[in-house]
Amino acid sequence: MSVSAPPTGLPRLLAGVSGTGALSLARHLEIHGPLPAVERRRAHSALALVNELERSGLRGRGGAAFPAATKVSAVAAARGRAIVVANGCEGEPMSLKDRLLLERVPHLVLDGALVAAHAVEATDVLIAVDESATRAVDAIERAVRERPELGRGGSRVQLATVPSGYVTGQESAVLSFLGGGPAKPMAMSAPIYRCGLKGRPTLVSNVETLAHMALIGRHGGNWFRTLGAHGAPGSTLVTVGGAVAHPGVFEIETGTEVASLVQAAGGATGELQAFLLGGYAGTWVPADVGWQLALSPEGLHEAGAALGAGVVFALPSSACAVSEIAFVARWLSGQSAGQCGPCVYGLDAVATGLDQVRAGAAGEGALGRITRWASLAGGRGACAHPDGAASFIISATHVFAAELADHARRGPCARCAQRHVLPTPAAPARRAA
Amino acid sequence: MSLALASTVGPSAYWYLTRSTGTMALILLTLSVVLGVIDVGRYTTARMPRFVVDGMHRSVSLLAVVFLVLHIVTAALDSFASIPLIDAIVPFVGSYRPLWLGLGAASLDLMLAVVITSLARRRLGYRSWRAVHWLAYASWPLALLHTLGTGSDVKAGWMIAISGGCLAAVLFAVIVRAAAGWPGQVRLRTTALGLAVFFSGGVALWLPSGPLGAGWAQRSGTPSSLLHHTTKRSRG
Amino acid sequence: MSRLHINWIACEAHGMCAELLPERITLDDWGYPIIDGRPIPAELEAHARRAAEACPTFALALEKARRR
C-alpha cells in the first residue's frame, strides 16, 4: 500500500510545516507521496481501508476518543448515500491544533476526508470550519482550487463555514447548522451514522482524525502503531498553554509524559500549581501529580483525566485559582445553547456559587451545593457540555480545595484582581496563530 | 316529545334544551379556560397534582364539546326558528339573527380546530399543536357574545349572573396568565391584558342598550315572521 | 425490559412524570426530572407508560431495550 517511504518517528502530521502559510500541493505530495489510487472494485477497497483503520487502533481526536474504525464501519453499513463532514470547528478556546492543520496542511486534511469518503462510499464531503478562522477558511478554499480532480472521483468536496462558539462545534450542532437550522445541538432520535445530515448516514470526524487517516491510507494500520502507547497508538497534536516559555501546538507520540511536553514547550516560566488536561471539558490535576502523567488514555485514566481536545494548560502559582475557576464557570454557563433546563439552571447556579465563594459571601455548605449542582447537570442535556463543565468544576473543587475554603472564609485575595490567564473569548473569537 | 307536538303547542322541549345546554356549554368552556390557565401556570397542591389538573382540563373541554353538540342539534331540531345545521358551522349565512348566531358558529369552528389538533397532537408535534391551541382564547369571547346576542334568557337575572360570573372568571384567568412570566414579552402581555379589559368593559357598557334594552329581538335580526311570537315565548 | 428516555430540549419541567412515576423520577431544584436509569420492571411498566403519555411536550418516552 505504501508508495513513498513511511515516516519513522515524528513529525507525521506536521511534517514539512515551517514558517507560515500552507504547504502547496506539490510540497505536500513531495513529503507524503500520492494517495493510493482508488481501485475499481470500490466496495472491496473500501473494506480494505476499514480493515487498515481497525488495525491502526486510531481513536478520534475531537475529544471523545471513539475508535475511528467502529464509527466508519457503522456509517459504511448504513443504508443510503453517505456524507462525510470534516469537523474543524474548534470550539475549545485553548485548542489551536485543528486550526493549525487547516491552515498549514490543508491537503492532508482533504486527503483524510477523501480516504474517509472512500471507506464509507460517500458522495458528498463537507469541510466545516469556524467562520472567524479566516486563515483556515482561505487555506482550504485555495487547497480545493488547487485540486480540480476533487469531485470527479465521485465525492463532491465543499467548504462550509459555521458560526463561532463553544458548543457550535458539537457534532449535532454542526449538522443542525449545515441542515439549515441553528448551530445548536439537537436531540437525536436516531444515531448520526444512520440518520444524520438530510437523513443520510453521516460520518462526522475531527480534522486531526482525518489527517491521521490520510497517512494510514498511504502507509497502513501497522505503520500507525509503530509510535505511541499500545492501547491508543500513533501520534497526537497537543496545544500547550499557560505558564510555559513557548506555548503552541506540538505533535507527540501518545504516552509522552507531561514533563517532556512542557520541556519541548520551553519549560515552565515559574512555579506551577496545577495542570488542566483536556480543556474546559477536562480535568484539573495538581502540578506534582501532573508532571509524571503519561498523555494516553490509560496513563491519564488513573488520575481521572483524559486528553480530550488535546490541551495541556499549565496554571502558574502566581494566579488565583479560585478567581480563574469562577470566571471560566461563568463563561461556560454563558456558552450553554440554552435548550436544556438542567444545563441552563445548573451551570448558572454553579457559576453564581463559585463567585460567592470567591467573594467570601457564600453560606455554609456552599461547596457541597456547588458540587451537587455540577454533578446533577451532567448527563441531563442534549449534548455533553454540562458533563464537561461538571468535570472541570468538580476536579477544581478537589485540586483547589484549600484555596476555595480560604476564599469562603476570608473573601478575595490579593491576586483576585489580576488579569485572567484562562481564556474566555467573546464570540466571535479572535485567535493568535 | 314529538316534533309535531312541539311545533303546535308553545315552546318545545328542544327550545328549552338548546338554551340549557348552551348555558352549560358556556359554563364548561369558562371552566376549561380557567383550568387551562391553572395547568400551564403549574399551580399545584398536594391534593391537586398537575396530572389531575391536566386531566380535568381535557375532560372538561371534551364535556363542553358534548354539551355544545347537544346545543346545536336541539337548536336544529326545534321548529320555532328553523335554524339549519349548516348555520352552526358556517358563520353569518343564516336568517335567524345572523350576526349573533354566526359568532357562535365562529366560536365552534375555532373550538373544533383546538379539539381536533389536541386529539391528533402526537402526530402533529408539540409546536404545531401549541400554535393552534392559542385559538382557544379567541373562541371564548365569541361564545359569550353569541350567548348575549342570541340567548333568549339574557334578560333574566340568573342569566346575567351566570354570564357575569363567567366573564369575571375568564378575565381573572387572563390576568393571571398574562402576569405569569412578567416582564418577559411585555408588549404581548400588555396587549392581551388590554384586550381582555377592553372586551369586558365593552360588554358591560353595551348590555343595557343592547340585549337588555328594548326591541333587541328585532335589532338583533330575528326574522319578522317570528317577531310577534317572541313576546310570548321568550323575554329576548 | 424498557427504559425511560428524555428529550432534554423538549422538556419544560412540567413535572407530571415525577407525580406519576415517583419510583423512578424525582425533580431537581428547578423542577427538571432526575431519572433513575435502571430498566423498568414489569410491575411499573403501566405507570411508566402513563407518565410518558402525560408529558405535555412529549419529552419522556418509554423505549424497549434494543440489542446493539
Side-chain angles (χ1 to χ4, degrees):
Chain A
M1 196 172 223
S2 198
V3 178
S4 71
T8 49
L10 293 167
R12 287 181 167 180
L13 302 181
L14 300 184
V17 171
S18 67
T20 57
L23 289 183
S24 68
L25 181 59
R27 184 81 185 103
H28 165 77
L29 291 173
E30 210 180 316
I31 296 171
H32 297 291
L35 256 188
V38 170
E39 291 174 24
R40 222 166 290 142
R41 277 164 61 217
R42 247 189 112 86
H44 167 81
S45 63
L47 191 58
L49 261 175
V50 174
N51 287 336
E52 289 301 327
L53 285 176
E54 185 108 43
R55 216 167 289 147
S56 72
L58 172 67
R59 302 245 204 129
R61 299 287 197 255
F66 195 77
T70 313
K71 219 185 202 184
V72 169
S73 310
V75 176
R79 296 176 65 180
R81 295 171 302 137
I83 302 178
V84 169
V85 174
N87 192 352
C89 308
E90 199 164 33
E92 168 61 61
M94 286 188 274
S95 177
L96 299 169
K97 66 178 179 78
D98 294 340
R99 201 165 268 90
L100 185 83
L101 283 174
L102 291 166
E103 287 174 18
R104 309 297 200 83
V105 290
H107 288 291
L108 197 61
V109 174
L110 287 177
D111 281 354
L114 289 172
V115 167
H118 186 56
V120 302
E121 297 182 55
T123 53
D124 291 275
V125 173
L126 291 163
I127 317 282
V129 184
D130 181 333
E131 65 189 9
S132 69
T134 43
R135 272 196 295 254
V137 170
D138 287 341
I140 288 287
E141 270 176 346
R142 254 179 279 126
V144 170
R145 277 202 302 271
E146 265 187 282
R147 298 166 72 153
E149 86 282 2
L150 284 178
R152 270 190 248 136
S155 309
R156 228 172 12 154
V157 179
Q158 281 173 282
L159 173 64
T161 52
V162 174
S164 298
Y166 187 62
V167 298
T168 53
Q170 194 265 347
E171 215 171 48
S172 68
V174 171
L175 292 184
S176 169
F177 183 76
L178 293 177
K184 293 186 177 190
M186 299 188 284
M188 309 296 300
S189 51
I192 292 176
Y193 64 77
R194 227 189 296 146
C195 178
L197 188 57
K198 299 178 193 160
R200 291 158 63 176
T202 310
L203 175 70
V204 182
S205 219
N206 176 263
V207 291
E208 188 195 332
T209 314
L210 292 173
H212 287 293
M213 285 196 207
L215 295 180
I216 294 172
R218 288 170 163 81
H219 310 302
N222 288 324
W223 160 83
F224 188 74
R225 302 193 78 95
T226 57
L227 269 188
H230 181 74
S235 65
T236 193
L237 296 181
V238 182
T239 313
V240 183
V244 293
H246 305 298
V249 178
F250 296 85
E251 185 172 11
I252 57 167
E253 58 174 306
T254 59
T256 303
E257 274 188 4
V258 170
S260 312
L261 180 59
V262 171
Q263 195 180 22
T269 55
E271 199 190 302
L272 300 179
Q273 52 177 312
F275 288 103
L276 177 62
L277 303 171
Y280 288 152
T283 320
W284 288 100
V285 292
D288 49 5
V289 170
W291 288 113
Q292 292 106 330
L293 285 179
L295 292 166
S296 69
E298 296 97 7
L300 294 176
H301 186 66
E302 306 162 6
L307 201 43
V311 171
V312 172
F313 187 91
L315 186 70
S317 300
S318 57
C320 172
V322 175
S323 171
E324 297 283 341
I325 302 298
F327 206 66
V328 172
R330 176 53 68 194
W331 184 82
L332 286 171
S333 169
Q335 290 298 309
S336 166
Q339 302 184 114
C340 308
C343 175
V344 171
Y345 294 105
L347 294 190
D348 176 61
V350 164
T352 307
L354 279 171
D355 202 53
Q356 286 171 341
V357 166
R358 184 195 60 81
E364 190 76 35
L367 284 169
R369 280 194 298 276
I370 289 170
T371 313
R372 185 172 62 88
W373 286 325
S375 54
L376 269 183
R380 295 167 70 227
C383 73
H385 174 54
D387 304 63
S391 171
F392 178 86
I393 303 288
I394 295 175
S395 58
T397 58
H398 293 147
V399 173
F400 305 115
E403 291 86 341
L404 285 162
D406 211 50
H407 274 75
R409 263 197 314 267
R410 295 190 279 177
C413 71
R415 295 168 294 160
C416 271
Q418 271 173 225
R419 224 165 133 256
H420 288 120
V421 297
L422 286 172
T424 48
R430 258 183 289 274
R431 325 274 179 104
Chain B
M1 269 228 193
S2 72
L3 246 106
L5 189 62
S7 64
T8 54
V9 182
S12 72
Y14 293 121
W15 189 236
Y16 287 107
L17 275 172
T18 198
R19 286 150 62 190
S20 54
T21 52
T23 308
M24 270 315 295
L26 180 71
I27 295 173
L28 287 168
L29 272 169
T30 304
L31 192 55
S32 171
V33 172
V34 170
L35 283 168
V37 169
I38 296 175
D39 198 2
V40 78
R42 300 150 191 241
Y43 304 108
T44 178
T45 66
R47 292 235 209 105
M48 276 273 263
R50 299 228 36 244
F51 76 86
V52 168
V53 175
D54 194 61
M56 277 179 67
H57 171 68
R58 297 188 202 199
S59 306
V60 166
S61 306
L62 282 174
L63 199 59
V65 174
V66 168
F67 272 92
L68 204 52
V69 169
L70 288 172
H71 170 67
I72 294 166
V73 168
T74 48
L77 285 174
D78 175 73
S79 54
F80 172 66
S82 26
I83 300 170
L85 268 175
I86 190 75
D87 286 2
I89 299 175
V90 184
F92 315 126
V93 298
S95 53
Y96 183 87
R97 304 199 190 189
L99 172 64
W100 305 102
L101 197 74
L103 286 172
S107 178
L108 174 70
D109 292 341
L110 291 177
M111 267 182 262
L112 281 177
V114 171
V115 169
I116 291 171
T117 50
S118 292
L119 292 173
R121 60 198 301 244
R122 247 178 218 274
R123 283 261 186 99
L124 272 173
Y126 178 62
R127 257 169 260 214
S128 316
W129 168 82
R130 188 99 200 255
V132 177
H133 213 73
W134 285 104
L135 292 175
Y137 281 117
S139 71
W140 193 88
L142 296 174
L144 181 71
L145 289 175
H146 164 76
T147 306
L148 297 173
T150 54
S152 339
D153 302 293
V154 70
K155 284 191 178 159
W158 53 267
M159 192 59 210
I160 296 176
I162 289 175
S163 306
C166 287
L167 180 59
V170 171
L171 179 61
F172 183 65
V174 170
I175 290 173
V176 168
R177 180 68 183 92
W182 191 278
Q185 296 163 301
V186 172
R187 290 181 70 183
L188 187 62
R189 292 174 197 280
T190 320
T191 312
L193 277 173
L195 282 173
V197 171
F198 181 72
F199 176 79
S200 310
V203 166
L205 287 172
W206 164 67
L207 270 177
S209 57
L212 300 180
W216 176 251
Q218 182 185 19
R219 284 186 289 141
S220 63
T222 310
S224 44
S225 57
L226 300 174
L227 272 174
H228 67 278
H229 279 277
T230 60
T231 49
K232 277 187 237 166
R233 289 189 50 157
S234 71
R235 282 172 278 173
Chain C
M1 280 286 194
S2 326
R3 268 183 212 276
L4 288 171
H5 178 261
I6 289 201
N7 176 337
W8 290 103
I9 298 179
C11 178
E12 286 180 356
H14 286 277
M16 286 184 236
C17 55
E19 288 171 353
L20 292 168
L21 195 66
E23 295 89 343
R24 284 288 191 270
I25 305 178
T26 50
L27 299 178
D28 70 10
D29 297 22
W30 301 281
Y32 289 89
I34 301 172
I35 309 267
D36 178 334
R38 289 176 290 156
I40 306 289
E43 63 268 19
L44 285 180
E45 184 100 15
H47 292 290
R49 189 162 302 119
R50 193 175 167 200
E53 273 161 28
C55 178
T57 58
F58 310 132
L60 184 66
L62 190 62
E63 285 174 352
K64 295 268 176 237
R66 274 171 288 154
R67 292 195 152 275
R68 282 289 184 93

